[in-house]
Amino acid sequence: MQTCIFGLAAQWGVFKAGRNPKKIFWAGTLHNKVSQTTTGHMDHHTESMASTATHDDEIDAAALNASLSDRHGKKRSSVCSSVNQDYSQPNKPTIHFPPRMILFAGLTICYIILTLVVAGFVSEPSAKHEKPHSQPSSATQNPSQTVYSFSSSTPEEVPAPNTTLACPKWETFNVKAQGDKDFSRNCRIVAAEVGGFEVTLCESMRECGQGYFLLKRLDKAQCDKAMARSISWDYEFDAWMKKEIGPDAFVITFSGPQRAAPSDWRHMGNCIYKHPFRLTNTGNYTVSIVHSHDNFEAVQEKERTWQRVVNSEILTKWPMDVCSRHCKPFTSDVIEKMTLPVCGRSHPTQGVYLHSVAGHMLEREQYKVENYQIPYFWHPLACKYDQLFELGSNSECHQKNHSIKFLGDSQVRVSWDITDRRLAGTRDPLLHNVHEGNRQNYYYKDEALNQYWEDGKEKPVAPDPSKYRTLLDFAGRDGHLNWFTTEYMGNHDFWRLGDTTVPFPETNNIDRRLREFNSVLFNVGMWPMSGIRDGGHFTASRFKAMLTWAAANMMEANHRRGSMNVEPLSFIWHGIASFPVTRPQDIDEDAKMRKDWRSPYRLKLWSDLADQVFTSTPQLATSIRRMNAFDLTLPFIHDTPDRGHFFKTPAVEAETDEILHKLNICEGPN
């Protein structure tokens, strides 16, 4: 192809140089210049050369027509070879037309060929037809099926024959790196229960429990229509969501030796979605896939309408074997005997919900399974918690005199109720969502003095609550984190800033109300995302701006605490819990009027934005400890007792484990 173009251009240069000796240098260097130009530049030079050609060229129309007729139907290379002849030789009858015409015809055809070749590389992800690696599964084996391989990573190498898959280890892993893995050489079609999507399962040929589901929308016209929808006033965010998220939303849940709901989903383009997973425990699973939303309804933030749901089950309890024949599953008693380091306190702890096995449960696990009737128990991966206050343990830490403030919405209120029960050393579960109101409770080294909070409940007479105790306080539901997000001007909590008639005049009312506390656990997100009547319909950029402002105010509050002779506060970000997908039977006129925007996909996006905000500077990263309530609650969105909160599920116990570890009441190493 290049030889064709270079030959045409060089011949034109020689021809013109013969007429004009000054152009001999241009003809001699043309080969290098053409190789450095683009197609647009080629057109520019062609027009320039045509304009400088002499007008005394004589065209023999009959010879030209005869020559073109002779070439009709021949290969494209004949056009290029015909203009590469030596013009110093005598004229031949078959070459009787002017070089200028040959050049134009040749360049045109070569340009068309080049365009077609380049266009051939612009296509959907390349399809491969490979024989799947032998592995036990109930999925339909089809060696000639279409398998999508994405060029962002190298496909996993095929192991030697009869290679046994490696059993999972009790270790953490990088979620993004896991999602980048390419298992396209071992894929098979899974029969979907409803039409509209092709479901493909791709699994590792070397490691147990690693793979991904590919979900492909079959109606390309519907995909194109959805991709053309404007979904955000922020055009960069609009483009990002179309590239990374895609129009459709799904919830994938694994149940069996482990309960898991992976939250790393990716849009590969053309409404093809990749849902990676990595299962730590081996055995027989069932997989459920719910198509929750389409047409960007789960994340769109431009139309102030109610969030339309699909809620269609693509797979329901589909069986999947993960190395059940040769790998021994993890159980709680085995993990308890492991020598593991203490988990970090600054970042979210990665862990798994293992299925509770009779005869292998811990005491604290046994009573929780009995309370919740959901046999899963949270374990951090490759580390351990050092202070859980289970059944009166760690009660000596109460004499360290810690005071803890909970700020946030009803998700934080439920966390306060569970943490209160844990610190009181009781087995009693939280069976009801106790609404509204602030709460306060004290806990002592003497376990006889500790009872969990209950409205109107009498408690034993306690010693001086100002010392040698742990104080837990909930300020009342605050859906927009007003303590740190309201502007100074017009906010009564800041009116007396600089007032010399009050103690500590260099502080404001919020500073003074927080003076007695050591730690603040907070969240925000549910209300800004909810319906308009609840102060919701925040865009993602507005939520991020609000959280950035709140974080800045927290750092300023810590800066002013020096004037009150107290240590800086330890802030703990509770995270944003997940939320169930609305069921068709729950959609009524009131739901449509509320226009609730909460969905697992939007909550995941906001959770990631919060993580970005709280790690955006070294000061924030070291001053605000982070939990990930979204990942802790997503596996149980189908088990919520009131379609909104996670009491009576193992998720609240996992959250409490994380809360107590981050609070560090026992003052263990950080």
Side-chain angles (χ1 to χ4, degrees):
M1 185 65 200
Q2 284 183 320
T3 305
C4 172
I5 297 174
F6 295 160
L8 288 168
Q11 286 289 5
W12 177 261
V14 173
F15 172 75
K16 294 304 294 180
R19 295 193 175 204
N20 186 353
K22 295 181 179 180
K23 296 182 179 178
I24 294 177
F25 176 77
W26 179 87
T29 58
L30 179 64
H31 185 281
N32 292 332
K33 291 191 175 183
V34 171
S35 65
Q36 298 172 359
T37 58
T38 63
T39 303
H41 293 148
M42 187 187 302
D43 293 340
H44 172 73
H45 285 302
T46 303
E47 295 174 2
S48 176
M49 289 186 286
S51 64
T52 58
T54 59
H55 300 285
D56 58 346
D57 293 328
E58 296 180 359
I59 302 176
D60 188 339
L64 176 61
N65 291 333
S67 178
L68 292 176
S69 298
D70 292 340
R71 288 173 173 77
H72 184 69
K74 293 184 179 180
K75 293 182 180 180
R76 291 187 294 257
S77 60
S78 64
V79 178
C80 297
S81 61
S82 68
V83 295
N84 286 331
Q85 60 181 310
D86 187 357
Y87 279 91
S88 64
Q89 296 178 359
N91 291 335
K92 298 179 181 179
T94 57
I95 309 215
H96 196 66
F97 46 87
R100 184 178 65 178
M101 186 62 68
I102 297 173
L103 176 71
F104 281 12
L107 281 176
T108 301
I109 295 175
C110 291
Y111 178 75
I112 293 173
I113 296 171
L114 180 63
T115 302
L116 292 175
V117 171
V118 173
F121 290 100
V122 182
S123 62
E124 294 184 7
S126 60
K128 295 185 178 181
H129 304 274
E130 302 178 11
K131 184 176 180 180
H133 183 68
S134 177
Q135 192 172 5
S137 176
S138 58
T140 303
Q141 298 286 346
N142 185 358
S144 63
Q145 69 184 38
T146 299
V147 178
Y148 294 96
S149 176
F150 306 101
S151 59
S152 60
S153 58
T154 303
E156 181 185 52
E157 294 184 2
V158 178
N162 301 320
T163 298
T164 301
L165 276 69
C167 297
K169 299 178 181 178
W170 193 253
E171 61 184 6
T172 59
F173 58 92
N174 185 295
V175 174
K176 182 182 183 304
Q178 184 67 34
D180 289 338
K181 293 182 178 180
D182 187 343
F183 304 131
S184 59
R185 290 174 175 165
N186 183 34
C187 298
R188 50 196 174 276
I189 299 294
V190 176
E193 296 179 7
V194 296
F197 287 92
E198 178 186 87
V199 182
T200 304
L201 172 62
C202 301
E203 294 179 279
S204 171
M205 296 176 286
R206 295 174 175 272
E207 305 285 343
C208 291
Q210 298 189 31
Y212 50 80
F213 281 95
L214 289 176
L215 307 174
K216 177 184 178 182
R217 176 173 281 281
L218 299 177
D219 189 339
K220 189 176 185 303
Q222 186 175 353
C223 176
D224 293 341
K225 181 179 179 181
M227 291 295 288
R229 181 184 183 184
S230 178
I231 55 179
S232 176
W233 296 106
D234 184 335
Y235 300 120
E236 291 184 0
F237 190 60
D238 183 294
W240 181 87
M241 285 195 290
K242 288 177 178 177
K243 178 182 177 183
E244 302 291 340
I245 304 300
D248 297 289
F250 306 89
V251 177
I252 300 182
T253 307
F254 296 82
S255 297
Q258 174 184 338
R259 174 67 71 86
S263 62
D264 178 29
W265 41 72
R266 306 177 180 199
H267 180 221
M268 311 308 295
N270 299 315
C271 294
I272 301 173
Y273 308 91
K274 181 180 181 181
H275 286 254
F277 61 84
R278 178 164 171 168
L279 301 171
T280 299
N281 223 12
T282 56
N284 292 303
Y285 284 84
T286 60
V287 184
S288 297
I289 302 179
V290 175
H291 180 212
S292 61
H293 302 81
D294 63 4
N295 198 31
F296 287 106
E297 283 295 317
V299 294
Q300 78 85 21
E301 53 185 29
K302 195 170 185 179
E303 298 179 12
R304 306 294 181 176
T305 58
W306 68 286
Q307 186 176 246
R308 297 172 179 84
V309 298
V310 177
N311 211 351
S312 175
E313 294 184 353
I314 297 177
L315 287 182
T316 304
K317 295 184 178 180
W318 180 77
M320 175 178 165
D321 188 326
V322 178
C323 298
S324 63
R325 297 179 182 179
H326 70 277
C327 292
K328 185 177 180 180
F330 291 104
T331 55
S332 297
D333 55 348
V334 171
I335 298 168
E336 189 75 6
K337 296 175 183 178
M338 292 181 181
T339 302
L340 300 170
V342 175
C343 302
R345 303 191 200 274
S346 61
H347 56 273
T349 304
Q350 189 177 49
V352 295
Y353 288 101
L354 295 186
H355 192 281
S356 299
V357 180
H360 298 274
M361 287 188 283
L362 308 176
E363 182 184 2
R364 57 191 174 93
E365 178 181 4
Q366 179 74 45
Y367 83 83
K368 291 175 183 177
V369 171
E370 294 172 357
N371 284 341
Y372 301 133
Q373 297 299 304
I374 301 176
Y376 290 99
F377 191 70
W378 171 257
H379 292 275
L381 282 171
C383 65
K384 63 181 180 181
Y385 296 128
D386 63 347
Q387 43 194 293
L388 296 175
F389 292 86
E390 286 280 8
L391 304 176
S393 65
N394 306 113
S395 59
E396 69 279 358
C397 298
H398 290 315
Q399 60 184 338
K400 293 185 180 293
N401 210 38
H402 276 259
S403 298
I404 303 146
K405 186 74 144 182
F406 280 50
L407 298 173
D409 56 31
S410 58
Q411 302 291 339
V412 163
R413 183 190 67 223
V414 171
S415 286
W416 189 96
D417 288 337
I418 301 296
T419 305
D420 169 52
R421 280 166 165 71
R422 185 78 68 84
L423 293 177
T426 182
R427 294 171 179 257
D428 295 349
L430 178 66
L431 298 177
H432 305 285
N433 183 16
V434 185
H435 286 283
E436 307 306 332
N438 58 346
R439 294 127 156 81
Q440 191 176 83
N441 205 356
Y442 296 91
Y443 317 90
Y444 300 87
K445 181 179 179 180
D446 183 357
E447 296 178 29
L449 298 172
N450 299 331
Q451 292 187 15
Y452 62 87
W453 178 90
E454 200 168 34
D455 194 18
K457 179 180 180 181
E458 292 187 8
K459 297 191 61 177
V461 178
D464 183 0
S466 65
K467 58 184 178 180
Y468 308 125
R469 87 291 180 271
T470 297
L471 164 65
L472 205 64
D473 182 277
F474 176 61
R477 189 173 60 177
D478 179 6
H480 291 85
L481 198 60
N482 289 321
W483 283 41
F484 294 103
T485 57
T486 307
E487 294 284 355
Y488 286 4
M489 189 60 65
N491 179 4
H492 67 87
D493 285 326
F494 291 87
W495 280 351
R496 302 184 71 180
L497 180 63
D499 188 344
T500 58
T501 64
V502 298
F504 312 112
E506 296 180 3
T507 63
N508 57 48
N509 279 355
I510 296 297
D511 297 332
R512 292 187 284 273
R513 289 164 66 180
L514 289 174
R515 183 175 183 269
E516 67 173 306
F517 293 95
N518 308 100
S519 304
V520 173
L521 181 136
F522 69 99
N523 85 331
V524 67
M526 285 290 182
W527 282 35
M529 191 183 295
S530 59
I532 295 177
R533 293 188 299 182
D534 296 321
H537 282 203
F538 275 42
T539 63
S541 59
R542 183 182 176 191
F543 170 73
K544 184 177 181 180
M546 178 185 69
L547 209 57
T548 301
W549 171 246
N553 282 337
M554 291 175 188
M555 298 303 99
E556 287 297 320
N558 263 349
H559 179 72
R560 291 190 295 268
R561 283 176 69 85
S563 65
M564 297 187 292
N565 300 316
V566 290
E567 295 293 322
L569 288 165
S570 174
F571 288 99
I572 296 97
W573 166 245
H574 176 276
I576 307 174
S578 188
F579 199 76
V581 178
T582 304
R583 299 173 300 186
Q585 61 265 35
D586 295 329
I587 300 174
D588 53 20
E589 289 304 316
D590 181 65
K592 294 179 181 179
M593 285 292 295
R594 292 188 65 185
K595 302 177 181 179
D596 197 336
W597 272 9
R598 287 175 292 182
S599 74
Y601 266 45
R602 197 188 306 269
L603 288 161
K604 166 63 175 175
L605 288 176
W606 284 25
S607 179
D608 290 345
L609 285 175
D611 206 55
Q612 293 176 19
V613 170
F614 297 135
T615 58
S616 58
T617 68
Q619 182 188 27
L620 290 175
T622 56
S623 301
I624 300 179
R625 299 174 179 179
R626 294 170 289 118
M627 293 172 47
N628 191 334
F630 182 86
D631 283 351
L632 292 173
T633 55
L634 183 63
F636 297 98
I637 62 172
H638 303 302
D639 301 296
T640 55
D642 64 350
R643 306 295 301 167
H645 302 88
F646 293 87
F647 64 97
K648 295 177 67 175
T649 73
V652 291
E653 297 293 346
E655 287 180 312
T656 304
D657 288 353
E658 272 281 82
I659 289 171
L660 291 170
H661 189 69
K662 298 296 189 286
L663 287 173
N664 195 17
I665 296 173
C666 296
E667 299 180 0
N670 288 320

